[in-house]
Amino acid sequence: DGGITQSPKYLFRKEGQNVTLSCEQNLNHDAMYWYRQDPGQGLRLIYYSQIVNDFQKGDIAEGYSVSREKKESFPLTVTSAQKNPTAFYLCASSTRTSGAYNEQFFGPGTRLTVL
Amino acid sequence: SQQGEEDPQALSIQEGENATMNCSYKTSINNLQWYRQNSGRGLVHLILIRSNEREKHSGRLRVTLDTSKKSSSLLITASRAADTASYFCATDGSSNTGKLIFGQGTTLQVKP
């Protein structure tokens, strides 16, 4: 099955710890994205990557880091510098047709709770 | 930054009725997309409409786009209880980086 997976589904973190959220896709998409969603809110972009070995900050990158060493993988690390990390994290990927980006495909999300 | 504003924030209707959700945005766009999210799940893409299109259909869904008013609407006809979800519009802000800016969403409840 082609798709995008995220793990773990639930994650608990103690204050002061770094945690890494996994995102994998087998859709052969060049672009990948990380979003944060707070209760009752829309999605806010944390980081995005248009191609392997390259990534850019989104609107709320502070306290987060990413890597894109492989096309299919885009892990997100939530560092201890992120003041309020409790949220629902969504990963997505997309492709381009004739230079224009198409729709994004989303993973099932990881719910992070800071204890 | 939140580009889109959706209206209403919440909508409750009976099964069989039509549901209309509106989205307004601030900057020029290449395309506007609508997504659906069931509680606690990832988003599912519904329709993408490009800036040179005015209307698009997919099954019971109809999307309109008015670039002069910077607004879009999503109509779900003959709603079903399974349509209960949150619906989000998203725009690319004409950046062509693939980045999307999401609205706050409309929560739709369809009562059986």
Side-chain angles (χ1 to χ4, degrees), chain B residues 60-71:
Chain B
R60 295 183 294 113
L61 306 180
R62 172 181 169 245
V63 167
T64 62
L65 178 64
D66 186 334
T67 53
S68 67
K69 295 181 179 178
K70 291 186 168 61
S71 67

Side-chain angles (χ1 to χ4, degrees), chain A residues 15-72:
Chain A
E15 284 195 22
Q17 282 184 334
N18 293 354
V19 290
T20 297
L21 283 59
S22 169
C23 177
E24 303 277 333
Q25 55 100 358
N26 61 5
L27 299 167
N28 200 34
H29 288 175
D30 283 317
M32 296 186 74
Y33 314 84
W34 273 106
Y35 296 93
R36 169 182 172 140
Q37 186 178 32
D38 291 285
Q41 302 294 311
L43 278 65
R44 291 184 290 167
L45 183 65
I46 304 172
Y47 269 97
Y48 67 104
S49 168
Q50 293 175 284
I51 199 165
V52 66
N53 291 323
D54 188 40
F55 51 84
Q56 287 81 36
K57 293 181 179 179
D59 298 320
I60 56 165
E62 185 175 351
Y64 299 98
S65 66
V66 293
S67 63
R68 188 83 190 278
E69 297 175 1
K70 297 187 294 182
K71 187 176 186 178
E72 59 270 23

